[in-house]
Coordinates of all heavy atoms in Angstrom, one line a residue:
M1 N 153.0 55.3 32.4 CA 154.1 54.5 31.7 C 155.3 55.2 32.2 O 155.5 56.4 32.3 CB 153.9 54.8 30.3 CG 155.0 54.0 29.5 SD 154.3 53.8 27.7 CE 155.9 53.8 26.9
E2 N 156.3 54.4 32.5 CA 157.6 54.8 33.2 C 158.4 55.4 32.0 O 158.6 54.9 30.9 CB 158.3 53.7 33.8 CG 159.6 54.0 34.6 CD 160.2 52.9 35.2 OE1 159.5 52.1 35.8 OE2 161.4 52.8 35.1
E3 N 159.0 56.6 32.3 CA 160.0 57.2 31.4 C 161.3 56.5 31.3 O 161.9 56.2 32.3 CB 160.2 58.7 31.8 CG 161.1 59.5 30.9 CD 161.3 60.8 31.4 OE1 160.4 61.4 32.0 OE2 162.4 61.4 31.2
Q4 N 161.7 56.3 30.1 CA 163.1 55.6 29.9 C 164.2 56.6 30.0 O 164.1 57.7 29.3 CB 163.1 54.9 28.6 CG 164.4 54.1 28.4 CD 164.4 53.3 27.1 OE1 163.4 53.4 26.4 NE2 165.4 52.6 26.8
R5 N 165.1 56.4 30.8 CA 166.2 57.3 30.9 C 167.5 56.8 30.3 O 167.9 55.6 30.6 CB 166.6 57.6 32.4 CG 165.4 58.3 33.0 CD 165.8 58.6 34.5 NE 164.5 58.9 35.2 CZ 164.4 59.0 36.5 NH1 165.4 58.6 37.3 NH2 163.3 59.4 37.1
N6 N 168.1 57.5 29.4 CA 169.3 57.0 28.7 C 170.5 57.5 29.5 O 170.5 58.6 30.1 CB 169.4 57.5 27.3 CG 168.3 56.9 26.5 OD1 168.0 55.8 26.7 ND2 167.9 57.6 25.4
K7 N 171.6 56.8 29.6 CA 172.8 57.1 30.2 C 173.9 57.3 29.2 O 173.8 56.5 28.1 CB 173.2 56.0 31.2 CG 172.2 55.9 32.3 CD 172.3 57.1 33.3 CE 171.3 56.8 34.4 NZ 171.2 58.0 35.3
K8 N 174.8 58.2 29.3 CA 175.8 58.5 28.4 C 177.1 57.6 28.8 O 177.4 57.6 30.0 CB 176.1 59.9 28.4 CG 177.2 60.3 27.3 CD 177.4 61.8 27.3 CE 177.1 62.3 26.0 NZ 177.3 63.8 25.9
M9 N 177.8 57.1 27.9 CA 178.9 56.3 28.1 C 180.0 56.6 27.0 O 179.6 56.7 25.9 CB 178.7 54.8 28.1 CG 179.9 54.0 28.4 SD 179.5 52.3 28.9 CE 179.1 51.7 27.4
I10 N 181.3 56.9 27.4 CA 182.3 57.2 26.4 C 183.1 55.9 26.2 O 183.5 55.3 27.1 CB 183.1 58.3 26.8 CG1 182.3 59.5 27.0 CG2 184.3 58.6 25.9 CD1 183.0 60.7 27.6
I11 N 183.3 55.5 25.0 CA 184.1 54.4 24.7 C 185.3 54.8 23.8 O 185.2 55.8 23.0 CB 183.4 53.2 24.1 CG1 182.8 53.7 22.8 CG2 182.4 52.7 25.0 CD1 182.3 52.5 22.0
E12 N 186.4 54.0 23.9 CA 187.5 54.2 22.9 C 187.6 53.1 22.0 O 187.5 51.9 22.4 CB 188.9 54.3 23.7 CG 188.9 55.6 24.5 CD 190.2 55.8 25.2 OE1 191.3 55.2 24.7 OE2 190.3 56.5 26.2
L13 N 187.7 53.3 20.7 CA 187.8 52.4 19.7 C 189.1 52.5 18.9 O 189.5 53.8 18.7 CB 186.6 52.4 18.7 CG 185.3 52.1 19.3 CD1 184.2 52.5 18.2 CD2 185.1 50.8 19.9
D14 N 189.6 51.5 18.3 CA 190.7 51.6 17.4 C 190.2 52.4 16.2 O 189.0 52.3 15.9 CB 191.2 50.2 16.9 CG 192.0 49.5 17.9 OD1 192.5 50.1 18.9 OD2 192.0 48.2 17.8
Q15 N 191.1 53.2 15.6 CA 190.7 54.0 14.4 C 190.0 53.3 13.3 O 189.0 53.6 12.8 CB 191.9 54.7 13.9 CG 191.6 55.7 12.7 CD 190.9 56.9 13.1 OE1 191.0 57.3 14.2 NE2 190.1 57.5 12.3
S16 N 190.5 52.0 13.0 CA 189.9 51.2 11.9 C 188.6 50.6 12.3 O 187.7 50.6 11.5 CB 190.8 50.1 11.7 OG 191.0 49.2 12.7
V17 N 188.3 50.4 13.6 CA 187.0 49.9 14.1 C 186.0 51.0 14.0 O 185.0 50.9 13.5 CB 187.1 49.3 15.5 CG1 185.8 49.0 16.0 CG2 188.1 48.0 15.6
Y18 N 186.5 52.2 14.3 CA 185.6 53.4 14.3 C 185.2 53.7 13.0 O 184.1 53.9 12.6 CB 186.3 54.6 15.0 CG 185.4 55.8 14.9 CD1 184.3 56.0 15.8 CD2 185.7 56.8 14.0 CE1 183.6 57.1 15.7 CE2 184.8 58.0 13.8 CZ 183.8 58.1 14.7 OH 183.0 59.2 14.7
E19 N 186.2 53.6 11.9 CA 186.0 53.9 10.6 C 185.0 52.8 10.0 O 184.0 53.3 9.3 CB 187.2 53.9 9.8 CG 188.1 55.1 10.1 CD 189.5 55.0 9.5 OE1 189.8 54.0 8.8 OE2 190.3 56.0 9.7
D20 N 185.1 51.6 10.4 CA 184.2 50.6 9.9 C 182.7 50.8 10.5 O 181.8 50.6 9.8 CB 184.6 49.2 10.4 CG 185.9 48.7 9.6 OD1 186.1 49.3 8.6 OD2 186.5 47.8 10.2
L21 N 182.7 51.2 11.7 CA 181.4 51.5 12.4 C 180.7 52.7 11.6 O 179.6 52.6 11.3 CB 181.6 51.9 13.8 CG 180.5 52.1 14.7 CD1 180.7 51.5 16.0 CD2 180.1 53.6 14.8
V22 N 181.4 53.7 11.4 CA 180.8 54.9 10.7 C 180.5 54.5 9.3 O 179.3 54.8 8.9 CB 181.9 56.1 10.6 CG1 181.3 57.2 9.7 CG2 182.2 56.6 12.0
E23 N 181.2 53.7 8.6 CA 180.9 53.3 7.2 C 179.6 52.4 7.3 O 178.6 52.6 6.5 CB 182.0 52.5 6.7 CG 181.7 52.0 5.2 CD 182.9 51.2 4.6 OE1 184.0 51.3 5.1 OE2 182.6 50.5 3.7
F24 N 179.6 51.5 8.2 CA 178.2 50.7 8.4 C 177.1 51.6 8.7 O 176.0 51.3 8.0 CB 178.5 49.6 9.5 CG 177.3 48.8 9.7 CD1 177.2 47.6 8.9 CD2 176.4 49.1 10.7 CE1 176.1 46.9 9.2 CE2 175.3 48.3 10.9 CZ 175.2 47.1 10.1
C25 N 177.2 52.5 9.6 CA 176.1 53.4 9.9 C 175.6 54.1 8.7 O 174.4 54.4 8.5 CB 176.5 54.4 11.0 SG 176.6 53.6 12.7
V26 N 176.6 54.7 7.9 CA 176.2 55.5 6.7 C 175.4 54.5 5.7 O 174.4 54.9 5.1 CB 177.4 56.1 6.0 CG1 177.1 56.6 4.6 CG2 178.0 57.2 6.9
E27 N 176.0 53.4 5.6 CA 175.4 52.4 4.5 C 174.0 51.9 5.0 O 173.2 51.6 4.1 CB 176.3 51.3 4.3 CG 177.6 51.6 3.4 CD 178.5 50.5 3.3 OE1 178.2 49.4 3.6 OE2 179.6 50.7 2.8
T28 N 173.8 51.8 6.2 CA 172.6 51.2 6.8 C 171.6 52.3 7.2 O 170.5 51.9 7.7 CB 172.8 50.2 7.8 OG1 173.5 50.8 8.9 CG2 173.6 49.0 7.4
N29 N 172.0 53.5 7.2 CA 171.2 54.6 7.7 C 170.8 54.4 9.1 O 169.6 54.6 9.4 CB 170.1 54.9 6.8 CG 169.4 56.2 7.0 OD1 170.0 57.2 7.3 ND2 168.1 56.3 6.7
I30 N 171.7 54.2 9.9 CA 171.5 54.1 11.4 C 172.3 55.0 12.2 O 173.6 55.2 11.8 CB 171.7 52.6 11.9 CG1 171.1 52.3 13.3 CG2 173.1 52.1 11.6 CD1 171.0 50.9 13.8
E31 N 172.0 55.5 13.2 CA 172.7 56.3 14.1 C 173.8 55.6 14.9 O 173.5 54.4 15.2 CB 171.9 57.2 15.2 CG 170.9 58.1 14.5 CD 171.7 59.3 13.9 OE1 172.7 59.8 14.4 OE2 171.2 59.8 12.9
K32 N 174.9 56.1 15.1 CA 176.0 55.4 15.8 C 175.5 55.0 17.2 O 175.8 53.8 17.6 CB 177.3 56.2 15.9 CG 178.0 56.4 14.6 CD 179.4 57.1 14.7 CE 179.0 58.6 15.2 NZ 179.3 59.6 14.2
T33 N 174.8 55.9 17.9 CA 174.4 55.5 19.3 C 173.3 54.3 19.2 O 173.4 53.5 20.1 CB 173.7 56.7 19.9 OG1 172.8 57.2 19.1 CG2 174.7 57.8 20.2
E34 N 172.5 54.3 18.2 CA 171.5 53.2 18.1 C 172.3 51.9 17.8 O 171.9 50.8 18.4 CB 170.5 53.5 17.0 CG 169.5 52.4 16.8 CD 168.6 52.1 18.0 OE1 168.5 53.0 18.9 OE2 168.1 51.0 18.2
L35 N 173.2 51.9 16.9 CA 174.0 50.7 16.6 C 174.7 50.2 17.9 O 174.7 49.0 18.2 CB 175.0 51.0 15.5 CG 175.9 49.9 15.1 CD1 175.2 48.7 14.6 CD2 177.0 50.3 14.3
M36 N 175.4 51.2 18.6 CA 176.1 50.7 19.7 C 175.1 50.2 20.8 O 175.4 49.1 21.4 CB 176.9 51.9 20.3 CG 178.0 52.3 19.5 SD 179.2 51.1 18.9 CE 179.9 50.8 20.6
S37 N 174.0 50.7 21.0 CA 173.0 50.2 21.9 C 172.6 48.9 21.5 O 172.5 47.9 22.3 CB 171.8 51.2 22.0 OG 170.8 50.8 22.8
Q38 N 172.3 48.6 20.3 CA 171.7 47.3 19.8 C 172.9 46.3 20.0 O 172.6 45.1 20.4 CB 171.4 47.4 18.3 CG 170.1 48.1 18.1 CD 169.7 48.2 16.6 OE1 170.3 47.5 15.8 NE2 168.8 49.0 16.2
M39 N 174.1 46.7 19.7 CA 175.3 45.7 19.8 C 175.4 45.4 21.3 O 175.7 44.2 21.6 CB 176.5 46.4 19.2 CG 176.5 46.3 17.7 SD 178.0 46.9 16.9 CE 179.0 47.7 18.0
V40 N 175.4 46.3 22.1 CA 175.6 46.0 23.6 C 174.5 45.1 24.1 O 174.7 44.2 24.8 CB 175.7 47.3 24.4 CG1 175.7 47.1 26.0 CG2 177.0 48.1 24.1
N41 N 173.3 45.5 23.7 CA 172.2 44.7 24.2 C 172.3 43.2 23.6 O 171.9 42.3 24.4 CB 170.7 45.2 23.6 CG 170.3 46.4 24.5 OD1 170.6 46.5 25.7 ND2 169.6 47.3 23.8
Y42 N 172.7 43.1 22.4 CA 172.9 41.7 21.8 C 173.9 41.0 22.6 O 173.8 39.8 22.9 CB 173.2 41.8 20.3 CG 173.5 40.5 19.7 CD1 172.6 39.6 19.3 CD2 174.9 40.1 19.5 CE1 172.8 38.5 18.7 CE2 175.1 38.9 18.9 CZ 174.1 38.1 18.5 OH 174.4 36.8 17.9
W43 N 175.1 41.6 22.9 CA 176.2 41.0 23.5 C 175.8 40.5 24.9 O 176.2 39.4 25.3 CB 177.4 42.0 23.5 CG 178.6 41.3 24.0 CD1 179.5 40.5 23.4 CD2 179.1 41.4 25.4 NE1 180.5 40.1 24.3 CE2 180.3 40.5 25.6 CE3 178.6 42.0 26.5 CZ2 180.9 40.5 26.7 CZ3 179.2 41.8 27.8 CH2 180.4 41.1 27.8
I44 N 175.1 41.4 25.6 CA 174.6 41.0 26.9 C 173.8 39.8 26.9 O 173.9 38.9 27.7 CB 174.0 42.2 27.7 CG1 175.1 43.3 28.0 CG2 173.2 41.8 28.9 CD1 174.5 44.6 28.5
K45 N 172.7 39.8 26.0 CA 171.8 38.7 26.0 C 172.5 37.4 25.6 O 172.3 36.4 26.2 CB 170.7 39.0 24.9 CG 169.6 40.0 25.4 CD 168.6 40.4 24.4 CE 167.8 41.4 24.9 NZ 166.9 41.9 23.9
E46 N 173.4 37.5 24.7 CA 174.2 36.3 24.2 C 175.1 35.7 25.4 O 175.2 34.6 25.7 CB 175.1 36.5 23.0 CG 174.3 36.7 21.8 CD 173.6 35.4 21.4 OE1 174.2 34.2 21.4 OE2 172.4 35.5 21.2
S47 N 175.7 36.7 26.1 CA 176.6 36.4 27.3 C 175.7 35.7 28.4 O 176.2 34.6 28.9 CB 177.3 37.5 27.8 OG 178.2 38.1 26.8
M48 N 174.6 36.3 28.6 CA 173.7 35.7 29.6 C 173.3 34.2 29.2 O 173.2 33.3 30.1 CB 172.4 36.5 29.9 CG 172.9 37.9 30.5 SD 173.7 37.8 32.1 CE 172.3 37.4 33.2
N49 N 172.9 34.1 28.0 CA 172.4 32.8 27.5 C 173.6 31.8 27.6 O 173.4 30.6 28.1 CB 172.1 32.8 26.0 CG 170.7 33.5 25.8 OD1 169.9 33.6 26.7 ND2 170.5 34.1 24.7
K50 N 174.9 32.2 27.3 CA 176.0 31.2 27.5 C 176.2 30.9 28.9 O 176.4 29.7 29.2 CB 177.3 31.9 26.9 CG 177.3 32.0 25.4 CD 178.5 32.7 24.9 CE 178.5 32.9 23.4 NZ 179.6 33.7 23.0
M51 N 176.1 31.9 29.8 CA 176.2 31.6 31.3 C 175.2 30.7 31.8 O 175.4 29.8 32.5 CB 176.3 33.0 32.1 CG 177.6 33.8 31.9 SD 177.7 35.1 33.0 CE 176.6 36.2 32.4
D52 N 174.0 30.9 31.3 CA 172.8 30.0 31.7 C 173.1 28.6 31.2 O 172.8 27.7 32.0 CB 171.5 30.6 31.2 CG 171.0 31.8 31.8 OD1 171.4 32.1 33.0 OD2 170.1 32.4 31.3
A53 N 173.6 28.5 30.0 CA 173.9 27.1 29.5 C 175.0 26.5 30.4 O 175.0 25.3 30.6 CB 174.3 27.3 28.0
M54 N 176.0 27.3 30.7 CA 177.0 26.7 31.6 C 176.5 26.3 33.0 O 176.9 25.2 33.5 CB 178.2 27.8 31.7 CG 179.0 27.9 30.5 SD 180.3 29.1 30.7 CE 181.4 28.3 31.7
R55 N 175.6 27.1 33.4 CA 175.1 26.7 34.9 C 174.3 25.4 34.7 O 174.3 24.5 35.6 CB 174.1 27.9 35.3 CG 174.9 29.1 35.9 CD 173.8 30.0 36.5 NE 174.4 31.4 36.7 CZ 174.3 32.3 35.8 NH1 173.5 32.3 34.8 NH2 174.8 33.5 36.0
K56 N 173.5 25.4 33.6 CA 172.7 24.1 33.4 C 173.6 22.9 33.2 O 173.4 21.9 33.8 CB 171.8 24.3 32.2 CG 170.9 23.1 31.9 CD 170.0 23.4 30.7 CE 169.2 22.1 30.4 NZ 168.5 22.2 29.1
G57 N 174.7 23.1 32.5 CA 175.7 22.0 32.3 C 176.3 21.6 33.5 O 176.5 20.3 33.8
Y58 N 176.8 22.6 34.4 CA 177.3 22.2 35.6 C 176.3 21.5 36.6 O 176.7 20.5 37.3 CB 177.8 23.5 36.3 CG 179.3 23.8 35.7 CD1 179.4 25.1 35.2 CD2 180.3 23.1 36.0 CE1 180.7 25.5 34.7 CE2 181.6 23.5 35.6 CZ 181.7 24.6 34.9 OH 182.9 25.0 34.4
A59 N 175.1 21.9 36.5 CA 174.1 21.2 37.4 C 173.9 19.8 36.9 O 173.8 18.8 37.7 CB 172.8 22.0 37.3
E60 N 173.8 19.6 35.6 CA 173.7 18.2 35.1 C 174.9 17.3 35.4 O 174.7 16.2 35.7 CB 173.6 18.3 33.5 CG 172.2 18.9 33.1 CD 172.1 19.2 31.6 OE1 173.0 18.9 30.9 OE2 170.9 19.5 31.2
M61 N 176.2 17.9 35.3 CA 177.3 17.2 35.7 C 177.3 16.8 37.1 O 177.8 15.7 37.5 CB 178.6 18.0 35.3 CG 178.9 18.0 33.7 SD 179.1 16.3 33.1 CE 180.5 15.6 34.1
A62 N 176.9 17.7 38.0 CA 176.7 17.4 39.4 C 175.9 16.2 39.6 O 176.3 15.3 40.4 CB 176.2 18.6 40.1
N63 N 174.9 16.0 39.0 CA 173.9 14.8 39.1 C 174.7 13.6 38.6 O 174.7 12.6 39.3 CB 172.7 15.0 38.5 CG 171.8 16.0 39.1 OD1 171.8 16.2 40.3 ND2 170.9 16.7 38.3
I64 N 175.4 13.7 37.5 CA 176.1 12.6 36.9 C 177.2 12.2 37.9 O 177.5 11.0 38.1 CB 176.7 12.9 35.5 CG1 175.5 13.1 34.6 CG2 177.6 11.9 35.2 CD1 175.9 13.6 33.2
N65 N 178.0 13.1 38.4 CA 178.9 12.9 39.3 C 178.5 12.2 40.6 O 179.1 11.2 41.2 CB 179.7 14.1 39.8 CG 180.6 14.7 38.7 OD1 181.0 14.0 37.7 ND2 180.9 15.9 38.7
L66 N 177.3 12.6 41.1 CA 176.6 11.9 42.2 C 176.4 10.5 42.0 O 176.6 9.5 42.8 CB 175.4 12.7 42.8 CG 175.7 13.9 43.5 CD1 174.3 14.7 43.7 CD2 176.3 13.6 44.9
E67 N 175.8 10.2 40.8 CA 175.5 8.9 40.3 C 176.8 8.0 40.3 O 176.8 6.8 40.7 CB 174.8 8.8 39.0 CG 173.4 9.4 39.0 CD 172.8 9.5 37.6 OE1 173.3 8.8 36.7 OE2 171.9 10.3 37.4
I68 N 177.8 8.5 39.7 CA 179.1 7.8 39.7 C 179.7 7.5 41.0 O 180.1 6.4 41.3 CB 180.1 8.6 38.9 CG1 179.8 8.6 37.3 CG2 181.5 8.0 39.0 CD1 180.5 9.7 36.5
C69 N 179.6 8.5 41.9 CA 180.1 8.2 43.2 C 179.2 7.2 44.0 O 179.8 6.3 44.7 CB 180.0 9.6 44.1 SG 181.2 10.8 43.6
S70 N 177.9 7.2 43.7 CA 177.1 6.2 44.4 C 177.4 4.8 43.9 O 177.3 3.8 44.7 CB 175.6 6.5 44.1 OG 175.2 7.8 44.7
E71 N 177.8 4.7 42.6 CA 178.1 3.4 42.0 C 179.3 2.8 42.7 O 179.5 1.6 42.8 CB 178.3 3.5 40.6 CG 177.0 3.7 39.9 CD 177.1 3.8 38.4 OE1 178.1 3.2 37.8 OE2 176.2 4.3 37.6
F72 N 180.2 3.6 43.2 CA 181.5 3.2 43.7 C 181.5 3.2 45.3 O 182.6 2.8 45.8 CB 182.7 4.0 43.1 CG 183.0 3.7 41.7 CD1 182.5 4.4 40.7 CD2 183.8 2.5 41.4 CE1 182.7 4.2 39.4 CE2 184.1 2.2 40.1 CZ 183.5 3.0 39.1
D73 N 180.4 3.5 45.8 CA 180.3 3.5 47.3 C 180.7 2.1 47.9 O 181.5 1.9 48.9 CB 178.9 3.8 47.8 CG 178.7 5.2 48.3 OD1 179.8 5.9 48.5 OD2 177.7 5.7 48.6
G74 N 180.2 1.0 47.2 CA 180.5 -0.3 47.7 C 181.9 -0.7 47.7 O 182.5 -1.2 48.7
C75 N 182.6 -0.2 46.6 CA 184.1 -0.5 46.4 C 184.8 0.2 47.5 O 185.9 -0.3 48.0 CB 184.5 0.0 45.0 SG 183.7 -1.0 43.7
E76 N 184.4 1.5 47.7 CA 185.1 2.3 48.8 C 185.0 1.7 50.1 O 185.9 1.6 50.9 CB 184.7 3.7 48.6 CG 185.5 4.7 49.6 CD 185.2 6.0 49.4 OE1 184.6 6.4 48.3 OE2 185.5 6.9 50.3
S77 N 183.8 1.2 50.4 CA 183.5 0.6 51.8 C 184.3 -0.7 51.9 O 184.9 -1.0 52.9 CB 182.0 0.2 51.9 OG 181.3 1.4 51.9
E78 N 184.4 -1.5 50.8 CA 185.2 -2.7 50.9 C 186.7 -2.4 51.1 O 187.4 -3.1 51.8 CB 185.0 -3.5 49.6 CG 185.6 -4.8 49.6 CD 185.3 -5.6 48.3 OE1 184.2 -5.5 47.8 OE2 186.2 -6.4 47.9
A79 N 187.1 -1.4 50.4 CA 188.5 -0.9 50.6 C 188.9 -0.6 52.0 O 189.9 -1.0 52.6 CB 189.0 0.1 49.6
H80 N 188.0 0.2 52.6 CA 188.2 0.6 54.0 C 188.2 -0.6 54.9 O 188.9 -0.6 55.9 CB 187.1 1.6 54.4 CG 187.4 3.0 53.9 ND1 188.3 3.8 54.4 CD2 186.7 3.8 52.9 CE1 188.3 5.0 53.7 NE2 187.3 4.9 52.8
Y81 N 187.4 -1.6 54.6 CA 187.3 -2.8 55.4 C 188.7 -3.6 55.4 O 189.0 -4.1 56.4 CB 186.2 -3.7 54.9 CG 186.1 -5.1 55.5 CD1 185.6 -5.2 56.8 CD2 186.6 -6.2 54.9 CE1 185.5 -6.4 57.4 CE2 186.6 -7.5 55.5 CZ 186.0 -7.6 56.8 OH 185.9 -8.7 57.4
H82 N 189.3 -3.5 54.2 CA 190.6 -4.2 54.1 C 191.8 -3.4 54.7 O 192.9 -4.0 54.8 CB 190.9 -4.7 52.7 CG 189.9 -5.7 52.1 ND1 190.0 -6.9 52.6 CD2 188.9 -5.6 51.3 CE1 189.1 -7.7 52.0 NE2 188.4 -6.9 51.2
I83 N 191.6 -2.2 55.1 CA 192.7 -1.4 55.5 C 192.9 -1.6 57.0 O 192.2 -1.8 57.9 CB 192.5 0.1 55.3 CG1 192.5 0.4 53.8 CG2 193.5 0.9 56.0 CD1 192.3 1.8 53.3

């Protein structure tokens, strides 16, 4: 089994945010590092899901745009004929 290695990172928080974080940790009996790790993991997963949804949406729009362009091919050809 592969050993998991933790990395240390220093962050700066507004005083009020830090106080809220500490209060939350005390009330929920969770370590600050564990809370921060869970929050970062959650944020990354949510961000990746949003980016995947956007990629999918752009791909779907590309197909719709191709269909629209195809529908107007005849009109464009006719316009070039009259020029």
Side-chain angles (χ1 to χ4, degrees):
M1 187 161 149
E2 187 177 316
E3 181 182 327
Q4 184 177 358
R5 297 180 191 162
N6 293 329
K7 298 290 183 184
K8 186 178 237 182
M9 184 168 72
I10 298 173
I11 61 168
E12 290 185 23
L13 300 171
D14 289 336
Q15 182 69 29
S16 62
V17 172
Y18 179 78
E19 289 170 0
D20 290 342
L21 185 140
V22 170
E23 182 180 342
F24 180 83
C25 289
V26 168
E27 289 178 8
T28 59
N29 196 30
I30 189 172
E31 294 292 323
K32 291 184 292 252
T33 54
E34 179 61 25
L35 176 63
M36 295 304 295
S37 180
Q38 288 179 14
M39 289 185 342
V40 169
N41 282 329
Y42 175 80
W43 185 85
I44 289 171
K45 286 178 185 173
E46 286 299 308
S47 296
M48 295 299 281
N49 288 340
K50 288 177 186 176
M51 286 190 286
D52 288 343
M54 288 179 67
R55 281 187 201 101
K56 182 180 177 188
Y58 279 114
E60 290 171 359
M61 283 304 300
N63 290 330
I64 293 169
N65 288 338
L66 283 173
E67 289 175 20
I68 292 170
C69 289
S70 295
E71 289 180 21
F72 287 96
D73 257 354
C75 296
E76 189 172 340
S77 295
E78 187 177 325
H80 282 285
Y81 174 76
H82 291 290
I83 295 178

